[in-house]
Amino acid sequence: MNTNKDIYIMGIETSCDETSVAIVKNGREVLSNVINSQIDIHKEYGGVVPEIASRCHTEVINLVTKQALKEAKIKLEDIDAVAVTYGPGLVGALLVRSFLC
């Protein structure tokens, strides 16, 4: 009888202008990888505007997370660990991780 439990890790990337959440099973199998890009938003400014990027992350992080869980066919309660962007990056964008942890 195999008593090994599958380990699910949620990876969150919010260091610049993309909000991304991925679910990985047992460190090897990517079950989902959802990316919300802000390219079109920042294009008119000629580069990333930190305040706008941070605001956009907070607006979409829950939706991106829910979509990643849905695509992975698991629930938040199934997640064993969360990996987040620590740095370097835009300070405001990195603060998004604190909303989930």
Side-chain angles (χ1 to χ4, degrees):
M1 181 163 127
N2 184 358
T3 59
N4 292 336
K5 177 192 177 301
D6 289 325
I7 303 296
Y8 296 99
I9 299 172
M10 175 185 288
I12 302 171
E13 206 302 298
T14 59
S15 65
C16 194
D17 63 338
E18 291 184 335
T19 307
S20 178
V21 176
I23 308 294
V24 178
K25 178 180 172 183
N26 297 325
R28 297 183 179 264
E29 182 182 352
V30 178
L31 301 179
S32 64
N33 184 29
V34 178
I35 301 169
N36 180 46
S37 178
Q38 300 177 19
I39 290 174
D40 291 338
I41 295 168
H42 298 287
K43 192 183 302 183
E44 67 180 274
Y45 303 104
V48 177
V49 179
E51 294 81 11
I52 293 173
S54 299
R55 187 175 326 115
C56 289
H57 286 306
T58 60
E59 290 172 356
V60 302
I61 188 66
N62 287 334
L63 294 173
V64 172
T65 301
K66 287 178 184 178
Q67 184 63 35
L69 290 166
K70 181 179 178 181
E71 288 182 17
K73 297 180 174 85
I74 64 169
K75 297 177 183 173
L76 185 59
E77 297 81 32
D78 297 323
I79 298 296
D80 296 292
V82 178
V84 297
T85 306
Y86 179 72
L90 305 172
V91 173
L94 293 172
L95 291 176
V96 171
R97 69 185 169 90
S98 67
F99 292 117
L100 292 171
C101 300

